[in-house]
Amino acid sequence: MATESDLTPIPHDARKYHNYPDSHYVLPTDEQEVERLRLQHNVVKNAFEGRLIFPPLKSQSSYFVLDSGVGPAAWLLDVASELSVSAILHGVDLESRLFPHSRPTNVSFSVGSIVSLPEEWKNKFDLVNQRLLLTALTRSQWPQTLGQIHRVLSPGGWVQLGEVGTWHAGPVSERHRRMLHALFDSRELLLDVSMEIPELLRKAKFDNIKVEVRNLPLAGETGADARNNWIGAFRAVKTPIMRLGGLGFVQTEEEFDHFLDELEREWDSTPDAEIEFHIFYAQKPTDTSDSL
């Protein structure tokens, strides 16, 4: 583990990040990241046989849907094409630069923190989707966020969470994972939050908690899209690591780039290299008296 004396920032070619107050988010907000997030959506969608909505929503003519941490809205726009045009879909995120330039008339966006959703949204939504916010939410913010989601869901409504689990390939992957743990620990983020989500959902008073897991291959041509997505994400946290002096794992930008090149080669050449992805979904009780 790096000490305070090791934390001299390392010069590097930095990407664009948002500056929302008190944000712990470790990924950039530039066009390159928008393209990676679109690829990520397709990787996850294909891994789960094209399914976008997992909980059994009650049959009705229209739905109110919220995408929490919407980013470039790949999931939300995809869902909009599947639901009736009478559905109302909204996305909220800290960074408006990520929002798409065009959208259907029943899709809208707002800038805000998912840790503190508007009071007037209480009991409003039939479904709240949230995906891959392990890079944004601290240990204390996870219960707050799930409490907010519980509050804005209508009784009987559902939350749907997508989070990465563990991954394995070889010794380079193990060392890289230790570096990520050091970065996440420095920001009080939970790299292994997928292990804690069921209990977090229970504590937030959700019922009918379910999980579906897929193991995505990372090697060769079959694993190319998943590999490109997550290696892209790992390269994208260069700036936070460089600002912390390399965390005792790298000393220069060139070392960081070489480390990620080695990681990519290990994934590509290891036949059983895989990464887990989890979809959790849970229901707000129909007889709740929500006082959050």
Side-chain angles (χ1 to χ4, degrees), residues 138-151:
T138 65
R139 177 174 291 280
S140 64
Q141 287 174 333
W142 271 100
Q144 295 173 28
T145 300
L146 293 179
Q148 289 291 296
I149 291 173
H150 190 281
R151 181 178 62 82

Side-chain angles (χ1 to χ4, degrees), residues 48-86:
F48 288 88
E49 303 83 42
R51 295 155 65 204
L52 298 171
I53 297 175
F54 289 75
L57 299 183
K58 59 185 178 182
S59 180
Q60 57 193 54
S61 59
S62 183
Y63 297 95
F64 283 91
V65 178
L66 176 65
D67 198 0
S68 170
V70 65
W75 180 88
L76 195 67
L77 296 178
D78 219 348
V79 167
S81 69
E82 289 194 356
L83 295 179
S84 163
V85 293
S86 61

